[in-house]
Amino acid sequence: MYYRRKVVLAILETSPNFSREKVALQNLIFKFCLKKDKAKFYDFIDCEFFSNPFSFLLDKDLELLSAHYKLIEEKNGYWSLIKNENFFKSLTKEDKELVGKLNNVSNYLQNTPKKNDKDKALFSMGYEGISVDTYFNKLLNKGINLIVDVRKNAFSRKYGFSKKELKKICDRLKISYLHFDYLGIDSSKRKNLATDEDYKKVFASYKENFPTEKAKNDLLELFKKYSRIMLTCFEKDHNYCHRSIIIELLKKEFSCEIVHL
């Protein structure tokens, strides 16, 4: 079991009646992570967008601890321990002390300046190396109102980034989501990419077969409804992702700011 899930269970083990209201539990773990700083286990959506700190990854872990591990249950808005295996004893000394002090921790919520970005812009970002909560914080702070997924196959083993999960989170945050699989590169062509020359060859082939008119018309139509659109894929560095090629080939068509996050 992941250590972060043991921490969650330890917090419930040391809670009154082995139970915590759902919002309160998110709050407690948020405070725990603030104390951990760079060693934190969860990222949280900025408080501007929810009335309380919220982590989608933590929410998913709680579901797994209930449905898969059968260690907790959700009832009447509370998460309750149903099987105590004393995970508290497996924590580091530092974490044991921190869990023990949580009830006395002052309110660490910090107000985030509200973003009011309305100007037309085209963004791009990959989710490599970041959590789903960090990913959506970046989107929300830039005022992005539409994600265009340009992966050929919108599937990921990383929580939150498969098509169904991604759209579900988008719906909760009132961000629109579309999957343009026709803009993706087949996975067979992306195997064994080790050098810059390998990438140049793949991208050269992609440019030759790029559906310019369809992509241009689709995005122009989207800009009539959405002002801040983001192309998303996996790679962190846009220079090694075909989303940069899409923008390179179409940027003359759009009189807007181009931002690679």
Side-chain angles (χ1 to χ4, degrees):
M1 181 187 291
Y2 290 133
Y3 183 79
R4 67 173 190 260
R5 294 173 183 164
K6 293 180 180 180
V7 170
V8 173
L9 291 167
I11 290 173
L12 284 174
E13 287 171 356
T14 54
S15 295
N17 301 315
F18 309 111
S19 181
R20 282 284 177 186
E21 195 269 335
K22 292 171 71 173
V23 172
L25 183 58
Q26 287 263 356
N27 268 314
L28 282 173
I29 297 171
F30 171 72
K31 292 174 183 178
F32 180 91
C33 290
L34 282 177
K35 282 288 189 178
K36 295 292 289 185
D37 193 21
K38 293 182 180 179
K40 63 185 179 181
F41 310 121
Y42 298 101
D43 296 301
F44 288 77
I45 298 296
D46 287 344
C47 300
E48 165 190 357
F49 305 103
F50 287 103
S51 58
N52 290 281
F54 186 85
S55 167
F56 285 102
L57 181 57
L58 171 56
D59 194 52
K60 183 64 175 180
D61 277 351
L62 289 165
E63 289 181 13
L64 287 171
L65 289 171
S66 174
H68 179 70
Y69 291 98
K70 310 294 185 184
L71 293 172
I72 63 175
E73 65 176 355
E74 189 275 325
K75 189 175 182 181
N76 298 325
Y78 281 76
W79 282 113
S80 301
L81 201 68
I82 56 177
K83 188 177 181 181
N84 191 342
E85 296 192 0
N86 196 8
F87 284 100
F88 182 82
K89 68 179 181 182
S90 68
L91 303 188
T92 64
K93 181 180 178 182
E94 177 190 1
D95 289 344
K96 285 178 181 176
E97 292 177 356
L98 183 52
V99 168
K101 293 177 180 178
L102 271 178
N103 288 332
N104 297 318
V105 176
S106 59
N107 184 10
Y108 283 98
L109 303 186
Q110 298 181 14
N111 293 324
T112 304
K114 189 172 183 178
K115 305 296 178 182
N116 190 27
D117 296 318
K118 297 297 182 183
D119 295 336
K120 183 177 174 182
L122 181 60
F123 298 82
S124 91
M125 184 169 70
Y127 60 86
E128 180 182 13
I130 59 175
S131 71
V132 68
D133 296 290
T134 295
Y135 176 88
F136 276 101
N137 267 332
K138 289 175 180 285
L139 268 70
L140 292 165
N141 285 322
K142 291 297 182 181
I144 291 165
N145 43 33
L146 171 67
I147 294 175
V148 177
D149 192 335
V150 295
R151 295 174 292 177
K152 184 70 174 179
N153 300 303
F155 171 78
S156 174
R157 290 186 176 87
K158 189 172 187 177
Y159 168 66
F161 295 106
S162 286
K163 182 175 181 177
K164 185 177 179 181
E165 294 171 336
L166 195 55
K167 187 178 186 309
K168 181 179 178 181
I169 295 174
C170 282
D171 289 344
R172 289 193 65 175
L173 295 173
K174 301 188 185 310
I175 298 172
S176 296
Y177 170 87
L178 292 172
H179 179 210
F180 284 3
D181 59 345
Y182 74 90
L183 290 178
I185 295 180
D186 193 276
S187 58
S188 63
K189 296 180 180 179
R190 299 192 62 86
K191 291 181 178 179
N192 303 317
L193 295 179
T195 66
D196 287 350
E197 192 60 34
D198 293 335
Y199 280 93
K200 286 179 182 178
K201 289 179 181 178
V202 170
F203 291 158
S205 174
Y206 183 71
K207 287 181 181 180
E208 288 178 6
N209 299 286
F210 188 74
T212 304
E213 286 303 310
K214 178 172 175 53
K216 179 183 73 174
N217 292 336
D218 284 349
L219 285 173
L220 282 172
E221 195 63 30
L222 290 174
F223 268 121
K224 292 178 182 179
K225 183 177 180 181
Y226 304 96
S227 60
R228 301 175 74 78
I229 298 173
M230 188 186 78
L231 305 184
T232 197
C233 197
F234 169 72
E235 287 80 7
K236 178 179 180 180
D237 188 341
H238 67 274
N239 293 301
Y240 293 91
C241 178
H242 70 289
R243 66 182 187 273
S244 63
I245 306 300
I246 297 172
I247 291 177
E248 176 190 332
L249 295 175
L250 297 178
K251 63 183 179 181
K252 293 180 180 179
E253 306 293 337
F254 308 109
S255 55
C256 67
E257 182 183 11
I258 305 294
V259 181
H260 295 287
L261 297 176

